Amino acid sequence: MRRIKLTVAYDGTNYCGWQIQPNGITIEEVLNKKLSRLTGEDIRIIGASRTDSGVHALGNVAVFDSETGIPPERLAYALNQRLPDDIVITKSEEVPLDWHPRYCNCTKTYEYHILNAKIQDPTRRLTRYFVSYHLDLEKMRRAAGYLVGTHDFASFCNVRTNVEDTVRTIYELSVIEEKDEITIRIRGNGFLYNMVRIIVGTLLRVGRNFYTPEQVEDILEAKDRQAAGVTAPPHGLMLVGIEYE
């Protein structure tokens, strides 16, 4: 028996997120079916990040156990021949049998992409959140500074989550402008349910002058979801990668 680690990229537009659920097709479901047919075994993968419906990824991580004779490094090529065009395995490799993608220390990097223009661009509508109004990026950057570090992010967590510990560490939170696109890049040791999208929604309200940058510190200290901004739409979000220690 071997444990195989997969690095997975996907366009989440046509999927109900990563995790298997009864109301639609998911990334996990597709991978389980294709791997089971490829290996002749009943494969059940374990994913590192359970991305939501419509969220994209360049570097999500999953593992599965198998006795297949296919070399681990060749599994990516064999599996890609069977996967739909919007899911790609960028790397496959063997890891120790006790290695778990959720319980190892890691840094996750997300990017939220915004098209800030007067007119929508149909070629980017599935991967960029269209915002037609002016945003004060300097204020957004100042506000972002209050969120960097180790904090209780209860105000930036969906109320439906059942997690007990809402303390997380953000290493980097940048607001980057390039032509008509704004990228909010965030790196941390883990994220709560909808945390990145709520942070983005809050920063956008700062950019529109509904909040001052200093109010973000008050929102953080409130530990109340109602204090923060709305949850930004999922299609602008991308899991860029996961780096393990």
Side-chain angles (χ1 to χ4, degrees), residues 184-214:
I184 297 176
R185 183 180 178 87
I186 182 168
R187 295 176 60 250
N189 67 351
F191 295 92
L192 302 165
Y193 182 40
N194 284 166
M195 178 174 161
V196 176
R197 290 165 56 194
I198 296 170
I199 287 175
V200 171
T202 303
L203 292 180
L204 286 174
R205 291 189 69 81
V206 173
R208 293 190 70 185
N209 294 312
F210 291 122
Y211 300 153
T212 66
E214 293 73 25

Side-chain angles (χ1 to χ4, degrees), residues 13-205:
T13 302
N14 296 321
Y15 299 94
C16 294
W18 173 275
Q19 190 175 12
I20 289 177
Q21 50 187 290
N23 65 337
I25 191 168
T26 65
I27 305 295
E28 183 179 30
E29 178 184 352
V30 172
L31 290 175
N32 283 343
K33 287 181 178 179
K34 299 301 183 181
L35 279 168
S36 296
R37 292 173 184 170
L38 176 63
T39 64
E41 303 166 297
D42 184 17
I43 300 295
R44 293 291 180 267
I45 63 172
I46 302 170
S49 185
R50 299 170 180 173
T51 53
D52 292 337
S53 176
V55 174
H56 316 292
L58 284 177
N60 205 347
V61 171
V63 298
F64 68 95
D65 296 333
S66 174
E67 295 181 350
T68 180
I70 302 173
E73 66 278 6
R74 297 293 301 175
L75 271 164
Y77 300 100
L79 188 54
N80 283 335
Q81 294 177 16
R82 294 162 171 80
L83 287 171
D85 292 341
D86 50 8
I87 304 176
V88 174
I89 308 303
T90 62
K91 187 176 182 181
S92 57
E93 56 191 309
E94 186 172 358
V95 293
L97 281 171
D98 61 352
W99 192 87
H100 196 292
R102 293 184 202 149
Y103 302 141
C104 296
N105 292 332
C106 68
T107 298
K108 294 183 179 181
T109 301
Y110 282 90
E111 288 183 353
Y112 195 92
H113 297 279
I114 299 165
L115 172 61
N116 192 203
K118 296 297 183 183
I119 304 296
Q120 170 69 291
D121 178 352
T123 67
R124 289 181 279 178
R125 74 189 189 284
L126 301 179
T127 57
R128 305 291 188 271
Y129 175 39
F130 174 57
V131 173
S132 60
Y133 42 78
H134 172 74
L135 294 171
D136 190 325
L137 299 187
E138 287 308 312
K139 288 184 178 180
M140 292 172 66
R141 292 180 181 118
R142 283 166 49 201
Y146 291 106
L147 300 177
V148 176
T150 301
H151 305 287
D152 186 335
F153 284 95
S155 293
F156 297 91
C157 177
N158 190 298
V159 294
R160 290 183 296 166
T161 187
N162 57 5
V163 66
E164 295 181 3
D165 183 11
T166 51
V167 175
R168 297 291 187 273
T169 300
I170 292 181
Y171 305 120
E172 174 194 353
L173 180 50
S174 305
V175 180
I176 304 161
E177 181 183 26
E178 186 173 356
K179 296 182 180 179
D180 62 355
E181 289 198 11
I182 297 167
T183 300
I184 297 176
R185 183 180 178 87
I186 182 168
R187 295 176 60 250
N189 67 351
F191 295 92
L192 302 165
Y193 182 40
N194 284 166
M195 178 174 161
V196 176
R197 290 165 56 194
I198 296 170
I199 287 175
V200 171
T202 303
L203 292 180
L204 286 174
R205 291 189 69 81

